[in-house]
Amino acid sequence: MAQSEKGLREATSAAGKGPAVVRRKRKRRCQWCAEGVREIDYKSISRLQRFTDAKGKILPRRQTGSCARHQRQLANAIKRARHMGLMPFVIY
């Protein structure tokens, strides 16, 4: 397999009709690190709700793109907001 300058690889297509281009996924950067946030505030409900699914569950790191440190802070902030009554525990 030949590899070009832009990180593209040539491979045979699924149908076997010739070479297919496979693109590599770029790794997401933690949005909290990019903004320089040191601690995630539990009172910013609109931001925290983006990291929960339709049922109110906390999304995992691979979906949020957060680093391990900020994912832990995010989970704690969501849990605090739930106990303070700012966010629901479960959405039906």
Side-chain angles (χ1 to χ4, degrees):
M1 282 187 209
Q3 201 169 19
S4 67
E5 297 171 14
K6 294 184 181 180
L8 301 176
R9 292 184 296 160
E10 289 185 34
T12 57
S13 65
K17 295 181 181 177
V21 178
V22 179
R23 297 183 187 269
R24 290 186 185 171
K25 239 182 175 179
R26 228 166 81 187
K27 188 155 181 156
R28 276 193 263 175
R29 185 155 184 237
C30 174
Q31 78 176 60
W32 305 100
C33 290
E35 294 174 9
V37 175
R38 299 195 106 189
E39 296 228 3
I40 299 174
D41 189 21
Y42 71 92
K43 292 173 280 196
S44 57
I45 302 305
S46 58
R47 285 191 84 175
L48 295 178
Q49 284 180 336
R50 284 188 279 165
F51 296 98
T52 58
D53 65 0
K55 294 182 179 180
K57 291 183 177 183
I58 300 170
L59 294 174
R61 270 184 66 195
R62 66 182 176 270
Q63 287 183 334
T64 62
S66 301
C67 64
R69 175 178 166 226
H70 283 114
Q71 181 68 22
R72 284 192 300 271
Q73 287 183 8
L74 178 68
N76 285 332
I78 291 172
K79 290 173 187 177
R80 282 185 183 141
R82 285 174 176 169
H83 282 284
M84 295 293 290
L86 302 173
M87 286 181 72
F89 281 91
V90 179
I91 301 171
Y92 290 104

